[in-house]
Amino acid sequence: MLARVHSATVVGVDAVPVDVEVDVGAGLPMCTIVGLPDAAVREARERVRSAIRNAGYEMPARRVTVNLAPADLRKVGPAFDLPIALGILAATRQLPPQVLAGCVVVGELSLDGSVRPVAGALNVALGARARRARALVVPAANAEEAALVDGLTVHPVTALAALVAALAGRCALPVQPPTRMSTPRPACDGTEEPDFAEVRGQAHARRALEIAAAGAHNLLLIGPPGTGKTMLARRLPTILPPLSLDEAIEVTRVYSAAGRLPAASATLAVRPFRAPHHATSVQALVGGGTPPVPGEVSLAHLGVLFLDEAAEFHHDALAALRQPLEEGRVVVVRVAGTVTLPARCMLVAAMNPCPCGNLGDRRRVCMCTPPQRARYRARVSGPLLDRIDLHVEVPPPTGDELASSAAERSADVRARVLRARALQTARARAFGIAGAYNATMPAVLARASCALAPEPRALLRRAVDRLGLSPRAYHRLARVARTIADLDGEAAIDARHVAEAIGYRALDRAFDAEGSTNG
């Protein structure tokens, strides 16, 4: 007797269809699971056996073979418990096999037959819709998340016994109503913490964060300890545009695949802000493992990745960020195949100016030698710095600045950011490109948008020669100047826009000054 149940597993952030084939035949009573199962899938034998008996059904005293096809794809996690149990009941005709046709099933079983939630329900729902499945059976705790997907009937289930009774026609199978996602909101609406109004002084850094938010540029904050670098970085999400509905589903999809979706929420309605510790490993930062799972850079997708004490991160971890920052994705290559993870985030890094941290502090004396400072700064490699558009010095605020009145609120800054991004969206739409901002727009759009008149072009050329900038830095400076012009509401890039963009290359200017002094 043979039965087949459709299920799925999540690889990266994509759902891959898996057919659970169950054969009950002659032989000694035992259950064998094949098809590259991991330990959690192999242990399903004991969970399924107890769940079937405690649900009031019979576990066959015969040889049960479960095949998870395709056999060359590694299966991970307990989400196959429920389809395996249904397959056994269908193979032994305790459940009509035809009721499972066109239905995708996922769920973990407890020993008493209740159904526990699983990771990746939204991803499985998106995959089921792509396969044109007629229905999806998920744990009740995952039903609201799965019901975000339009055009798919979602059936929540709390216990194996209730599901079998409904499939057998003895009662109605519950249907989850479509989830109507609330409108995504900014991380701060001016009535709750944090807010830019709390930052005293630091006008230069505040302006840099506004430019970074307007053009989706990467940012490096350099200054002594306690000057407000972390405070500024944590307020960047409050001036970013709120997520669109499609973006909210995209972010939720990443968190669902990683098993990080909050239990009380079906979706993430605010832009993520991730701040990993400097001891974070390469795999935890960019993703990986077997099977590959999203790392911090993917969990920050469409949000902010904040690296505090960037110079203390391991060199390999920082080097691994170069591809995600350039391409907006992480490509994890394994012998079994390649997995692509989304990673379109803004990088904000913060570091001290020297090992002791006192360089540039008017109140303290720096005892570091020039070679020590150079070695410390070299921990953040040149190729990575080349991908960071804004290098901003954050000096200690004066007493007058600390005692000053409240500064501009996040809502006011965000209004200017929204206007600048609207201009970028309109330009991209004219080229048939969607979702391209100044920092990420393709080359064909950049050539048209960042065209320079003779005067600003000459200024930029002199800066490149003086500071020894790379071709990548040249083009990124032009993009920053384009963002500054957008904030000013001007169609053409002027020399003052280029001059301000050059002013946000603090490390390049510092290296040039040191080179000039040594010369």
Short mmCIF file of all heavy atoms in Angstrom, two decimals, residues 454-482:
data_model
loop_
_atom_site.label_atom_id
_atom_site.label_comp_id
_atom_site.label_asym_id
_atom_site.label_seq_id
_atom_site.Cartn_x
_atom_site.Cartn_y
_atom_site.Cartn_z
N PRO A 454 31.18 70.97 -16.58
CA PRO A 454 32.65 71.10 -16.53
C PRO A 454 33.19 71.49 -15.17
O PRO A 454 34.20 70.93 -14.71
CB PRO A 454 32.93 72.19 -17.58
CG PRO A 454 31.80 72.05 -18.56
CD PRO A 454 30.61 71.68 -17.75
N GLU A 455 32.56 72.45 -14.46
CA GLU A 455 33.11 72.90 -13.18
C GLU A 455 33.07 71.80 -12.11
O GLU A 455 34.11 71.51 -11.49
CB GLU A 455 32.37 74.15 -12.70
CG GLU A 455 32.95 74.71 -11.40
CD GLU A 455 32.17 75.93 -10.90
OE1 GLU A 455 31.22 76.35 -11.60
OE2 GLU A 455 32.52 76.45 -9.84
N PRO A 456 31.92 71.17 -11.83
CA PRO A 456 31.94 70.09 -10.84
C PRO A 456 32.79 68.90 -11.28
O PRO A 456 33.39 68.23 -10.42
CB PRO A 456 30.47 69.71 -10.69
CG PRO A 456 29.78 70.26 -11.89
CD PRO A 456 30.55 71.47 -12.30
N ARG A 457 32.89 68.62 -12.57
CA ARG A 457 33.72 67.52 -13.04
C ARG A 457 35.20 67.81 -12.75
O ARG A 457 35.95 66.92 -12.32
CB ARG A 457 33.52 67.26 -14.53
CG ARG A 457 34.25 66.01 -15.01
CD ARG A 457 34.22 65.86 -16.52
NE ARG A 457 32.84 65.82 -17.02
CZ ARG A 457 32.32 66.73 -17.83
NH1 ARG A 457 33.07 67.76 -18.25
NH2 ARG A 457 31.08 66.63 -18.24
N ALA A 458 35.60 69.04 -12.98
CA ALA A 458 37.00 69.41 -12.71
C ALA A 458 37.30 69.31 -11.22
O ALA A 458 38.38 68.86 -10.81
CB ALA A 458 37.27 70.82 -13.22
N LEU A 459 36.36 69.73 -10.38
CA LEU A 459 36.55 69.64 -8.93
C LEU A 459 36.69 68.18 -8.49
O LEU A 459 37.57 67.85 -7.68
CB LEU A 459 35.37 70.30 -8.21
CG LEU A 459 35.38 70.25 -6.68
CD1 LEU A 459 36.61 70.93 -6.12
CD2 LEU A 459 34.10 70.89 -6.13
N LEU A 460 35.85 67.33 -9.02
CA LEU A 460 35.92 65.92 -8.66
C LEU A 460 37.22 65.29 -9.17
O LEU A 460 37.83 64.47 -8.48
CB LEU A 460 34.70 65.19 -9.25
CG LEU A 460 34.53 63.72 -8.87
CD1 LEU A 460 34.52 63.54 -7.36
CD2 LEU A 460 33.24 63.16 -9.47
N ARG A 461 37.66 65.70 -10.35
CA ARG A 461 38.91 65.15 -10.89
C ARG A 461 40.10 65.54 -10.02
O ARG A 461 40.99 64.73 -9.75
CB ARG A 461 39.10 65.63 -12.32
CG ARG A 461 40.32 65.01 -13.01
CD ARG A 461 40.42 65.41 -14.47
NE ARG A 461 40.59 66.84 -14.62
CZ ARG A 461 39.68 67.65 -15.14
NH1 ARG A 461 38.51 67.17 -15.54
NH2 ARG A 461 39.92 68.95 -15.26
N ARG A 462 40.12 66.79 -9.54
CA ARG A 462 41.21 67.22 -8.66
C ARG A 462 41.20 66.45 -7.35
O ARG A 462 42.25 66.10 -6.80
CB ARG A 462 41.10 68.73 -8.40
CG ARG A 462 41.41 69.59 -9.60
CD ARG A 462 41.66 71.04 -9.17
NE ARG A 462 40.49 71.64 -8.52
CZ ARG A 462 39.52 72.27 -9.17
NH1 ARG A 462 39.58 72.38 -10.51
NH2 ARG A 462 38.51 72.80 -8.52
N ALA A 463 39.99 66.17 -6.82
CA ALA A 463 39.90 65.41 -5.57
C ALA A 463 40.43 63.99 -5.75
O ALA A 463 41.13 63.46 -4.88
CB ALA A 463 38.45 65.37 -5.08
N VAL A 464 40.13 63.39 -6.88
CA VAL A 464 40.61 62.04 -7.15
C VAL A 464 42.14 62.02 -7.22
O VAL A 464 42.81 61.14 -6.66
CB VAL A 464 39.99 61.50 -8.46
CG1 VAL A 464 40.70 60.22 -8.90
CG2 VAL A 464 38.51 61.25 -8.26
N ASP A 465 42.73 63.01 -7.90
CA ASP A 465 44.18 63.06 -8.02
C ASP A 465 44.84 63.35 -6.67
O ASP A 465 45.88 62.77 -6.35
CB ASP A 465 44.58 64.13 -9.05
CG ASP A 465 44.13 63.77 -10.46
OD1 ASP A 465 43.91 62.56 -10.71
OD2 ASP A 465 43.99 64.68 -11.29
N ARG A 466 44.24 64.24 -5.90
CA ARG A 466 44.84 64.63 -4.62
C ARG A 466 44.73 63.52 -3.58
O ARG A 466 45.68 63.23 -2.85
CB ARG A 466 44.15 65.90 -4.11
CG ARG A 466 44.62 66.34 -2.73
CD ARG A 466 46.07 66.81 -2.72
NE ARG A 466 46.54 67.09 -1.39
CZ ARG A 466 46.38 68.28 -0.78
NH1 ARG A 466 45.76 69.26 -1.40
NH2 ARG A 466 46.85 68.46 0.44
N LEU A 467 43.57 62.89 -3.49
CA LEU A 467 43.34 61.88 -2.47
C LEU A 467 43.70 60.47 -2.93
O LEU A 467 43.66 59.54 -2.12
CB LEU A 467 41.86 61.91 -2.03
CG LEU A 467 41.35 63.25 -1.48
CD1 LEU A 467 39.87 63.15 -1.13
CD2 LEU A 467 42.16 63.68 -0.27
N GLY A 468 44.00 60.31 -4.21
CA GLY A 468 44.35 58.97 -4.70
C GLY A 468 43.17 58.02 -4.68
O GLY A 468 43.32 56.85 -4.32
N LEU A 469 42.00 58.50 -5.06
CA LEU A 469 40.79 57.68 -5.00
C LEU A 469 40.75 56.69 -6.16
O LEU A 469 41.27 56.95 -7.25
CB LEU A 469 39.55 58.56 -5.03
CG LEU A 469 39.41 59.59 -3.90
CD1 LEU A 469 38.15 60.40 -4.08
CD2 LEU A 469 39.43 58.90 -2.55
N SER A 470 40.08 55.57 -5.93
CA SER A 470 39.91 54.55 -6.96
C SER A 470 38.78 54.95 -7.91
O SER A 470 37.96 55.84 -7.59
CB SER A 470 39.58 53.21 -6.32
OG SER A 470 38.29 53.25 -5.73
N PRO A 471 38.69 54.30 -9.08
CA PRO A 471 37.55 54.58 -9.97
C PRO A 471 36.20 54.33 -9.29
O PRO A 471 35.23 55.05 -9.53
CB PRO A 471 37.78 53.62 -11.14
CG PRO A 471 39.26 53.41 -11.16
CD PRO A 471 39.69 53.43 -9.72
N ARG A 472 36.14 53.29 -8.42
CA ARG A 472 34.88 53.04 -7.71
C ARG A 472 34.54 54.23 -6.82
O ARG A 472 33.39 54.68 -6.76
CB ARG A 472 34.98 51.76 -6.88
CG ARG A 472 33.70 51.48 -6.09
CD ARG A 472 33.83 50.31 -5.13
NE ARG A 472 33.87 49.05 -5.83
CZ ARG A 472 34.92 48.24 -5.87
NH1 ARG A 472 36.04 48.61 -5.25
NH2 ARG A 472 34.89 47.11 -6.52
N ALA A 473 35.54 54.75 -6.09
CA ALA A 473 35.29 55.89 -5.21
C ALA A 473 34.87 57.12 -6.02
O ALA A 473 34.02 57.91 -5.56
CB ALA A 473 36.53 56.20 -4.38
N TYR A 474 35.43 57.29 -7.20
CA TYR A 474 35.06 58.41 -8.08
C TYR A 474 33.56 58.36 -8.39
O TYR A 474 32.83 59.35 -8.25
CB TYR A 474 35.88 58.35 -9.35
CG TYR A 474 35.46 59.34 -10.42
CD1 TYR A 474 35.97 60.63 -10.45
CD2 TYR A 474 34.53 58.97 -11.40
CE1 TYR A 474 35.57 61.54 -11.43
CE2 TYR A 474 34.13 59.88 -12.38
CZ TYR A 474 34.65 61.16 -12.39
OH TYR A 474 34.25 62.05 -13.35
N HIS A 475 33.10 57.18 -8.82
CA HIS A 475 31.68 57.05 -9.19
C HIS A 475 30.78 57.15 -7.96
O HIS A 475 29.67 57.69 -8.05
CB HIS A 475 31.46 55.74 -9.92
CG HIS A 475 32.12 55.68 -11.27
ND1 HIS A 475 31.74 56.49 -12.32
CD2 HIS A 475 33.16 54.93 -11.75
CE1 HIS A 475 32.49 56.25 -13.38
NE2 HIS A 475 33.36 55.31 -13.06
N ARG A 476 31.25 56.66 -6.83
CA ARG A 476 30.43 56.76 -5.62
C ARG A 476 30.33 58.21 -5.14
O ARG A 476 29.29 58.62 -4.61
CB ARG A 476 30.99 55.84 -4.53
CG ARG A 476 30.73 54.37 -4.80
CD ARG A 476 31.14 53.48 -3.64
NE ARG A 476 30.76 52.10 -3.89
CZ ARG A 476 29.58 51.57 -3.59
NH1 ARG A 476 28.65 52.33 -3.04
NH2 ARG A 476 29.31 50.31 -3.85
N LEU A 477 31.40 58.98 -5.31
CA LEU A 477 31.31 60.39 -4.96
C LEU A 477 30.28 61.10 -5.83
O LEU A 477 29.52 61.96 -5.35
CB LEU A 477 32.68 61.05 -5.13
CG LEU A 477 33.64 61.00 -3.94
CD1 LEU A 477 35.00 61.56 -4.32
CD2 LEU A 477 33.07 61.76 -2.76
N ALA A 478 30.25 60.75 -7.11
CA ALA A 478 29.24 61.34 -8.00
C ALA A 478 27.83 60.98 -7.56
O ALA A 478 26.91 61.81 -7.62
CB ALA A 478 29.49 60.90 -9.44
N ARG A 479 27.65 59.76 -7.10
CA ARG A 479 26.32 59.35 -6.62
C ARG A 479 25.93 60.09 -5.36
O ARG A 479 24.77 60.47 -5.17
CB ARG A 479 26.31 57.83 -6.37
CG ARG A 479 26.39 56.99 -7.66
CD ARG A 479 26.64 55.53 -7.33
NE ARG A 479 26.79 54.72 -8.53
CZ ARG A 479 25.90 53.84 -8.97
NH1 ARG A 479 24.77 53.67 -8.31
NH2 ARG A 479 26.12 53.15 -10.07
N VAL A 480 26.89 60.29 -4.44
CA VAL A 480 26.60 61.05 -3.22
C VAL A 480 26.23 62.49 -3.59
O VAL A 480 25.29 63.08 -3.03
CB VAL A 480 27.80 61.02 -2.27
CG1 VAL A 480 27.56 61.95 -1.07
CG2 VAL A 480 28.04 59.60 -1.76
N ALA A 481 26.97 63.08 -4.55
CA ALA A 481 26.64 64.43 -5.00
C ALA A 481 25.24 64.48 -5.59
O ALA A 481 24.49 65.46 -5.40
CB ALA A 481 27.68 64.91 -6.01
N ARG A 482 24.83 63.43 -6.31
CA ARG A 482 23.48 63.35 -6.86
C ARG A 482 22.44 63.35 -5.73
O ARG A 482 21.39 64.02 -5.83
CB ARG A 482 23.37 62.09 -7.70
CG ARG A 482 22.00 61.75 -8.27
CD ARG A 482 21.57 62.73 -9.34
NE ARG A 482 20.80 63.84 -8.81
CZ ARG A 482 20.46 64.91 -9.51
NH1 ARG A 482 20.85 65.03 -10.77
NH2 ARG A 482 19.77 65.89 -8.98
#
